[in-house]
Structure formats: C-alpha cells, structure tokens
Amino acid sequence: MVKKFKALSENQLAQTVKDSAHQIWLAGLGAFAKAQEEGNKVFDALVKEGETIQKKTRQAADEKIAVVTGKAVGTWDRLEQVFEDRVAKALGSLGVPTKKDIDKLSKRVAELTAVVQKLTEAQEAAEKAAAKPAAKPAPRAAAKPAAKPVASKAAAPKAAPAKKPAKPKSAAAPVAADAVAGPATAS
C-alpha cells in the first residue's frame, strides 16, 4: 500500500506540479498580453508627450531666432549708416557734391530758366511792338537818310535785357519791359 500511496502521491504531486506549471505559464501569457496592451498605451502617451515638448521647443527656438534676427537687423542698419556717413564725409572732403547740392542746383537752374524764358518773351513782345510803329513811318524814312537810327533802335532792346539777368524774378520782368519800352517810346 505504501507503494500505492507513493505511486498515488507521485501522480498527484506530478499533477499538482503540472497544474502549477500550467497556471504559471498562463499567468506569464496574461502578463505578456497585459504588458503588450499597456505598452501600446504607454508608447502612445510617450509619443503625445514628445509632440508637446517638440512644439514648446520649436516655439522657444522661433522666439530666440526672432530676437537674434532683430538684433542682427539693428546692427546691420547701424553699420550701414556708419558706412554711408563715412563715405559722405570722404566725398565731401574731396569736394564731390551731395544729392542735396545737386537738387538745389537743379531747382535753381529751373528757376533761372523760367526767368530767362519770361525775359525772352518780354523782349520778343517789345520787338514786335517796336517793329509795328517803325513799319508805318518806314516809307517816309526810306526817302530820308534817317533809316539807320531806326535800325539801331531795334538793336538796342536786344542788348538791354542781357545786362540785367541776375535780378530776382519779380523785379526782372518789369525792369526788362521798361528797358525795352524806354528806347522805343523815345523815338
């Protein structure tokens, strides 16, 4: 019987060990499945956390880049201004006119051109006015040798405006008209 009991107990013991091993195996499979399931969840949570950190890092980097870019632009602007000032100083010491100087001269030339144009128009008007009265007495003057003074009178108004071109615009036109009209009315 002892043999039987030993045999029975060995069978039960083997069965118990077998059942325990099977349960351990199943527990391992369950743990593996649970770890795989939880691992995906943990992995997804880590991916989300990484995306959040990446966004924060990118935003901070963009802000730093903007600050550095602003400083660089300011530095370049100052450097450019210093360069322009030094070049202008060098050109000024060489006597090269600046854009302002050229603009002033261009404006003055335009003003003088307008004054000359007015004087020319006044002279032409005076010559026409002098030519009309001189044309009527011309047949009488043709018989007399007095034709030469009429020609010299016509030449005199041409020389008079050339003597006074430097007067201001407001005073130049009336003076020129008086100078042209003066010798024509004296005849």
Side-chain angles (χ1 to χ4, degrees):
M1 207 172 187
V2 175
K3 270 189 166 183
K4 216 178 188 189
F5 182 69
K6 272 188 174 182
L8 187 57
S9 329
E10 281 182 22
N11 268 348
Q12 283 181 341
L13 184 61
Q15 186 62 34
T16 305
V17 169
K18 191 177 180 181
D19 288 341
S20 291
H22 185 64
Q23 286 179 348
I24 290 172
W25 170 254
L26 292 176
L29 285 176
F32 177 74
K34 190 76 166 172
Q36 193 174 20
E37 183 180 305
E38 290 297 319
N40 286 339
K41 289 179 184 177
V42 170
F43 180 77
D44 291 340
L46 290 174
V47 168
K48 287 180 183 178
E49 185 68 26
E51 289 173 348
T52 304
I53 291 172
Q54 182 181 9
K55 286 179 185 177
K56 288 179 182 177
T57 305
R58 183 171 286 154
Q59 184 179 11
D62 289 344
E63 289 173 0
K64 293 288 184 184
I65 289 172
V67 168
V68 170
T69 302
K71 287 180 181 178
V73 168
T75 302
W76 278 110
D77 288 344
R78 286 193 308 262
L79 181 63
E80 182 180 2
Q81 187 61 44
V82 167
F83 179 74
E84 286 177 2
D85 291 345
R86 288 189 180 171
V87 169
K89 185 177 177 182
L91 290 175
S93 67
L94 292 173
V96 176
T98 64
K99 183 177 181 338
K100 285 182 179 180
D101 295 337
I102 292 172
D103 290 343
K104 280 178 155 178
L105 290 173
S106 295
K107 184 178 178 183
R108 183 67 178 144
V109 167
E111 291 172 356
L112 291 174
T113 302
V115 169
V116 168
Q117 181 65 31
K118 286 180 182 178
L119 289 174
T120 304
E121 291 172 359
Q123 182 181 0
E124 289 174 358
E127 286 177 0
K128 286 182 183 178
K132 285 183 183 179
K136 291 180 183 177
R140 285 186 239 158
K144 298 178 184 175
K148 285 187 179 181
V150 174
S152 64
K153 289 179 184 176
K158 291 181 183 178
K163 293 179 185 176
K164 301 179 184 180
K167 292 198 176 195
K169 287 194 281 185
S170 61
V175 170
D178 290 342
V180 172
T185 56
S187 62

